[in-house]
Amino acid sequence: MPKRRDILAIVLIVLPWTLLITVWHQSAIAPLLAIRKDDGTETRHETGPATDSKEYCSQDKDIVEVVRTEYVYTRPPPWSDVLPTIHVITPTYSRPVQKAELTRLANTFLHVPNLHWILVEDSQRRTPLVTRLLRETGLNYTHLNVETPRNYKLRGDTRDPRIPRGTMQRNLALRWLRETFNSNSSQTGIVYFADDDNTYSLELFEEMRSTRKVSVWPVAFVGGLRYESPKVNAAGKVYGWKTVFDPHRPFAIDMAGFAINLRLILFKPQAYFKLRGVKGGYQESSLLRELVTLSDLEPKAANCTKILVWHTRTEKPVLVNEGKKGFTDPNVEI
Amino acid sequence: MRMRLKLKTVFVLYFTVSLLGLIYALMQLGQRCDCRGHDMSKDQQISQLRGELQKLQEHIKTSELAKKTDVPRIYVITPTYARLVQKAELTRLSHTFLHVPHLHWIMVEDAPQPTLLVTDFLAASGLTYTHLHQLTPKDRKLQEGDPSWLKPRGAEQRNEGLRWLREMGAAAEGKEAAALEEAVVYFADDDNTYSLQLFEEMRYTYRVSVWPVGLVGGMKFERPVVEDGKVVRFHTGWRPNRPFPMDMAGFAVSLRFILTTPQARFDGDAQMGFLESSFLQHLVTMDDLEPKADLCTKVLVWHTRTEKPKMKREDALQKQGLGSDPDVEV
């Protein structure tokens, strides 16, 4: 006849040990579960909050259009463990010259070691043309897309400086970088905004690789001049802007004229290009003023005396002979 | 009585120990998320292995490329002239050419003598090149304000390129002469866009090979129409009755053929759009054309044109004597 007190005693003895054992059991199994899940997904797709109960390990990202980077190393130079990665952000949109522009841009990028191309399409869906092109280049790339809402899009060919083109696409790329890279990680990186119709020398990429905060250099064919450039004093510091068009802008520089250290981008997660209410020519300032001051700028290209990037623009091809119904086979991709 | 006291303390002791142990286990649980560490190290390993794989592949490729001088050489003749975007155009063109094995760039300037800009550029390009120059006579030159199609451009420069090739061909001996037998000649304007695949398509040309060209002739693309492996007509929206209604970028000629046909040259006085025909009609008939690019169904070259940059402010400054530093090469 076991006494109540004895039963209580037995329970008190056994209870903590059973609890202990179950806890240890679970903690031993969980890491194994996590590894198996990783093996099953090669290229990780963010599809919403993780469904397993281990909230600490889940990543609560909810961007659906993002596709993880595919590291395809075939043609470009071998990836170095020492060189900082240059993340090149290129907004692009469909038009007849698109494939040509991206082709010759890729031919340039294929010479640059440790280059990661973030191509952001202004479209509702990632187009097969760009998807195929990226895959065939062999570059290290990330393919994103976001459609600019109709009221922000430029109509036809008129360049309306009040509506900055490519802003939403660049911002999406910045967001992707912030979600992909942990600000505590030791990953070194440089962020550069490269439009798909400009011309870049290979030397430019080596100049920007040593950026600590924000580096700047001259750009040809902008602002109605042979080139615009930052003004650099004898001490090697930027003190102004050699431009005719509004030289009193906080940063009177073209998108192609600066690069930002990735750490700075991650450190200031609120810094984006301003979408609305931006005066013509102030788009670059809208981002840079949240990141640096004038005195922090690092002049490159021999103290801003060499031209390493040209703001070329490609003529819109005359397609008069296509007529209303289209003369050429629409299945042939151009 | 003593026994019971001892048991009680044992109990209490035991209870506290197990409670502490439990709390300890719970704390461990909170930090358990080094399963992430597992993820990261796996990713790192994969990335490292990929990097090593790529290094090895690159090594194989370079040692293959070094042997690749046994593929036919491609001579690319590019006429060029000084204007604001010249250096930019040549720069991005050179980036494409640097990927093409066994390419020899023949640059012909429309100038009385070689310019410093092009000389320095070619020297730094890393390419195999020949630097020539040939000035277009004034009456054939486009004047400021003339539309680009008014006079044929680059005829004299391309002829100069052909002249140099013929001179070199005549002087070549032994192995070099054998290499020239297989070489191909392509006329590449400095503002077009070329895919890397195009050069592999043209490399094996017996006489004259042809393919589509994008964004030309007022259409998305122009191309030869191929039936049963032969070119039967040309798909173009403009003057399809020309002997060869093609763009300069749409064909390549074997060097052997050029060397054996000394009368083949471009006619600088040719009518608009007939420049290509003036050259090709010395060489082939439509029947002999070799269709490339998947029987002329793929566009591998685009006739892009670069806008003339707006220099309003520069011009205004120049008038005041405040123009940008002319020593800075653009």
Side-chain angles (χ1 to χ4, degrees):
Chain A
M1 280 291 239
K3 287 196 186 143
R4 205 182 282 169
R5 201 172 43 186
D6 291 328
I7 297 172
L8 189 65
I10 292 167
V11 167
L12 278 174
I13 292 168
V14 170
L15 186 67
W17 287 104
T18 47
L19 280 171
L20 205 72
I21 289 165
T22 39
V23 161
W24 274 118
H25 189 252
Q26 277 205 340
S27 78
I29 292 293
L32 292 172
L33 279 174
I35 290 170
R36 205 172 300 142
K37 195 172 100 145
D38 187 55
D39 279 339
T41 53
E42 262 291 300
T43 50
R44 288 160 278 159
H45 292 260
E46 272 80 49
T47 49
T51 47
D52 59 313
S53 58
K54 315 290 181 287
E55 293 128 50
Y56 331 92
C57 279
S58 76
Q59 298 164 323
D60 55 339
K61 300 171 193 158
D62 56 351
I63 320 148
V64 183
E65 298 120 38
V66 172
V67 169
R68 272 293 189 165
T69 316
E70 281 189 26
Y71 285 80
V72 183
Y73 303 98
T74 48
R75 196 187 277 276
W79 198 266
S80 156
D81 293 323
V82 175
L83 291 176
T85 305
I86 299 179
H87 302 276
V88 179
I89 297 175
T90 300
T92 186
Y93 64 103
S94 290
R95 74 269 197 206
V97 297
Q98 182 188 39
K99 192 176 179 190
E101 300 281 42
L102 295 179
T103 300
R104 57 182 168 187
L105 200 57
N107 289 343
T108 295
F109 290 163
L110 282 165
H111 291 292
V112 184
N114 285 39
L115 184 142
H116 171 218
W117 198 12
I118 304 175
L119 196 58
V120 194
E121 291 197 74
D122 186 346
S123 61
Q124 221 176 49
R125 264 174 279 277
R126 277 177 276 121
T127 61
L129 187 150
V130 176
T131 308
R132 237 176 292 130
L133 185 143
L134 281 174
R135 206 179 335 135
E136 282 167 9
T137 60
L139 281 166
N140 177 354
Y141 70 89
T142 295
H143 187 183
L144 309 173
N145 72 290
V146 62
E147 193 176 27
T148 310
R150 229 147 249 288
N151 53 321
Y152 286 131
K153 268 206 178 129
L154 296 172
R155 298 248 168 256
D157 210 24
T158 53
R159 293 256 153 188
D160 186 348
R162 286 171 302 200
I163 308 170
R165 165 177 262 162
T167 311
M168 288 191 69
Q169 289 70 35
R170 293 186 193 99
N171 281 344
L172 179 66
L174 286 175
R175 195 170 84 156
W176 182 92
L177 283 169
R178 284 167 176 141
E179 271 149 2
T180 309
F181 293 101
N182 187 352
S183 53
N184 293 329
S185 81
S186 57
Q187 292 242 20
T188 51
I190 313 290
V191 177
Y192 181 54
F193 298 98
D195 288 348
D196 62 6
D197 55 357
N198 292 341
T199 305
Y200 309 92
S201 69
L202 300 181
E203 211 185 318
L204 176 73
F205 296 102
E206 299 319 310
E207 287 283 307
M208 70 172 75
R209 234 186 259 278
S210 54
T211 304
R212 288 198 308 272
K213 281 193 173 161
V214 175
S215 53
V216 291
W217 49 77
V219 179
F221 312 142
V222 282
L225 299 171
R226 280 172 76 235
Y227 63 89
E228 276 184 352
S229 130
K231 283 195 200 159
V232 182
N233 62 19
K237 285 235 171 268
V238 176
Y239 67 95
W241 308 97
K242 221 190 293 178
T243 78
V244 167
F245 172 64
D246 208 344
H248 301 295
R249 290 173 273 166
F251 295 90
I253 196 168
D254 181 78
M255 200 65 74
F258 64 91
I260 310 170
N261 190 311
L262 179 63
R263 240 177 291 121
L264 191 56
I265 298 276
L266 300 174
F267 187 60
K268 302 255 172 98
Q270 306 307 320
Y272 283 99
F273 287 103
K274 202 158 169 243
L275 194 57
R276 299 166 206 238
V278 182
K279 261 199 327 183
Y282 281 76
Q283 234 224 328
E284 294 81 2
S285 302
S286 74
L287 173 73
L288 288 172
R289 67 154 185 259
E290 302 196 42
L291 295 171
V292 277
T293 58
L294 207 68
S295 55
D296 282 334
L297 295 176
E298 300 149 54
K300 302 285 177 187
N303 262 348
C304 295
T305 57
K306 279 166 67 168
I307 307 293
L308 302 176
V309 58
W310 300 262
H311 194 276
T312 43
R313 283 159 54 97
T314 306
E315 275 184 21
K316 192 172 169 194
V318 170
L319 298 179
V320 281
N321 288 333
E322 286 288 342
K324 288 212 178 99
K325 295 196 208 140
F327 190 61
T328 50
D329 182 353
N331 291 321
V332 176
E333 188 183 85
I334 48 155
Chain B
M1 194 110 159
R2 248 174 122 192
M3 285 286 285
R4 263 213 297 200
L5 265 168
K6 255 194 184 165
L7 202 60
K8 218 182 196 170
T9 48
V10 167
F11 244 120
V12 169
L13 216 67
Y14 161 79
F15 192 60
T16 40
V17 164
S18 29
L19 198 70
L20 287 169
L22 198 68
I23 292 167
Y24 175 72
L26 282 168
M27 301 258 286
Q28 286 283 56
L29 192 68
Q31 284 153 32
R32 197 231 310 138
C33 208
D34 60 56
C35 69
R36 240 230 204 122
H38 284 280
D39 287 351
M40 290 311 269
S41 69
K42 269 217 136 194
D43 276 341
Q44 270 172 10
Q45 257 199 330
I46 291 170
S47 157
Q48 260 179 4
L49 284 170
R50 278 198 166 126
E52 279 196 36
L53 178 67
Q54 194 262 330
K55 281 195 186 99
L56 288 168
Q57 281 178 337
E58 192 65 39
H59 183 77
I60 294 171
K61 200 178 83 117
T62 47
S63 49
E64 271 178 11
L65 208 72
K67 290 190 232 142
K68 251 194 174 171
T69 47
D70 56 352
V71 293
R73 204 178 294 159
I74 299 179
Y75 286 96
V76 178
I77 298 180
T78 299
T80 186
Y81 66 104
R83 75 270 198 204
L84 283 166
V85 295
Q86 183 187 37
K87 191 176 179 191
E89 300 282 41
L90 296 179
T91 300
R92 58 184 169 184
L93 198 55
S94 72
H95 294 164
T96 296
F97 290 166
L98 278 166
H99 291 297
V100 184
H102 221 192
L103 182 145
H104 185 129
W105 200 6
I106 303 175
M107 180 93 74
V108 194
E109 290 197 74
D110 185 351
Q113 62 218 22
T115 62
L116 195 61
L117 186 148
V118 176
T119 309
D120 289 346
F121 167 79
L122 285 172
S125 67
L127 290 161
T128 308
Y129 66 90
T130 297
H131 188 182
L132 306 171
H133 60 95
Q134 180 70 34
L135 189 61
T136 310
K138 243 184 171 197
D139 57 347
R140 286 197 184 156
K141 223 184 156 88
L142 281 176
Q143 301 307 318
E144 187 72 36
D146 277 347
S148 65
W149 42 262
L150 193 64
K151 293 182 181 128
R153 292 182 308 167
E156 281 77 15
Q157 289 72 40
R158 294 187 190 98
N159 284 338
E160 169 66 9
L162 290 172
R163 183 204 62 75
W164 182 86
L165 281 171
R166 287 173 172 135
E167 196 180 275
M168 189 206 37
E173 298 175 348
K175 255 171 95 174
E176 182 61 19
L180 296 185
E181 279 291 301
E182 307 223 301
V184 183
V185 179
Y186 182 54
F187 298 96
D189 289 347
D190 63 8
D191 56 356
N192 291 340
T193 304
Y194 310 91
S195 70
L196 300 182
Q197 207 192 331
L198 176 73
F199 298 98
E200 299 319 310
E201 292 284 314
M202 73 172 74
R203 215 182 270 280
Y204 298 92
T205 296
Y206 183 65
R207 277 214 179 104
V208 176
S209 53
V210 291
W211 49 79
V213 178
L215 310 173
V216 73
M219 303 207 296
K220 285 197 183 140
F221 60 89
E222 270 186 349
R223 68 178 174 109
V225 177
V226 177
E227 274 164 31
D228 284 331
K230 282 211 170 288
V231 177
V232 292
R233 64 179 181 280
F234 292 92
H235 179 95
T236 161
W238 186 78
R239 295 250 194 120
N241 297 319
R242 293 173 275 164
F244 292 94
M246 288 194 292
D247 183 78
M248 199 66 72
F251 66 91
V253 188
S254 78
L255 180 59
R256 184 195 69 251
F257 212 30
I258 285 179
L259 296 177
T260 55
T261 326
Q263 66 273 33
R265 48 206 319 275
F266 291 91
D267 182 0
D269 289 321
Q271 220 181 53
M272 179 174 113
F274 283 76
L275 193 61
E276 294 82 0
S277 304
S278 73
F279 174 66
L280 288 170
Q281 62 197 14
H282 295 288
L283 292 169
V284 275
T285 59
M286 190 166 69
D287 244 19
D288 292 326
L289 295 174
E290 298 148 57
K292 302 282 178 184
D294 248 359
L295 295 178
C296 295
T297 55
K298 296 238 164 67
V299 176
L300 302 174
V301 57
W302 300 263
H303 194 272
T304 44
R305 290 169 51 92
T306 305
E307 276 185 20
K308 193 173 167 194
K310 297 193 178 79
M311 287 289 126
K312 262 190 342 202
R313 296 200 177 97
E314 180 74 44
D315 295 336
L317 282 178
Q318 299 260 9
K319 288 209 179 92
Q320 300 167 31
L322 295 168
S324 58
D325 186 351
D327 284 334
V328 175
E329 189 181 80
V330 160

